Amino acid sequence: MSVEYDPRPTAAGEARAVVRRQLEEWGLAEQDEVAYVCELLAGELAANALCHAATRFRLTLAASHGVLRCEVADEDRRPPRVLEAGLAESGRGMYLVAALARRWGCHQDGPGKTVWFELGTCGSE
C-alpha cells in the first residue's frame, strides 16, 4: 500500500487512519500491540516529514514473511536524528521509532530520503 500526501496539518492524522485501515484489511489489527505501535510510529514519521521537510511525502506499508515495514519518503535529504526523550514538548518521534521498532533506518532516495521501520507480526520479537 502506498499513499502520497500534500504537506498540510491533517496529513499525519490521515496517514495514521490509512495505516489502521490497511492493517484491518490484512487481518493484523487484531494484534493490538503491533497495530498500535505501527500506527503510532507511522504517524511520527509523517509528522517529521511535515515538520522538517515541509514537502509532499509518500507513506508505504508492506507485510510479508512475519515482517511489517513502513516507509515515509520526503524531499529533504537531511537524515533524522534520535534525540533523548527529555522534557521537551516535541522531538521524541525518532526516539520512539528507535525504542519500539525491531529495526529502522534511513537512506538517500533521489532528491530526498526514505525513513523506514520494521515490526514483527509473528510474536518472534
Side-chain angles (χ1 to χ4, degrees):
M1 181 275 312
S2 190
V3 181
E4 195 161 318
Y5 296 91
D6 288 321
R8 61 184 185 282
T10 58
E14 292 167 14
R16 284 190 301 273
V18 164
V19 166
R20 172 57 71 170
R21 282 193 302 273
Q22 187 63 57
L23 294 177
E24 288 171 355
E25 209 172 286
W26 287 340
L28 295 173
E30 292 81 34
Q31 297 183 32
D32 289 335
E33 185 175 326
V34 171
Y36 173 77
V37 170
C38 186
E39 191 176 341
L40 171 71
L41 299 184
E44 291 295 337
L45 294 188
N48 280 355
L50 290 169
C51 181
H52 301 293
T55 65
R56 290 180 62 84
F57 68 92
R58 176 171 294 281
L59 175 116
T60 303
L61 195 63
S64 179
H65 305 289
V67 176
L68 180 60
R69 183 177 174 106
C70 178
E71 300 179 347
V72 172
D74 62 44
E75 297 173 22
D76 182 7
R77 293 188 61 81
R78 292 174 295 171
R81 296 182 320 155
V82 177
L83 303 175
E84 289 301 317
L87 298 174
E89 289 185 19
S90 64
R92 293 187 188 93
M94 293 311 300
Y95 178 85
L96 290 173
V97 171
L100 299 174
R102 173 193 273 181
R103 296 182 337 137
W104 75 276
C106 176
H107 62 270
Q108 299 301 315
D109 194 16
K113 68 176 173 311
T114 298
V115 182
W116 57 269
F117 68 84
E118 293 178 349
L119 302 171
T121 62
C122 294
S124 59
E125 298 303 310

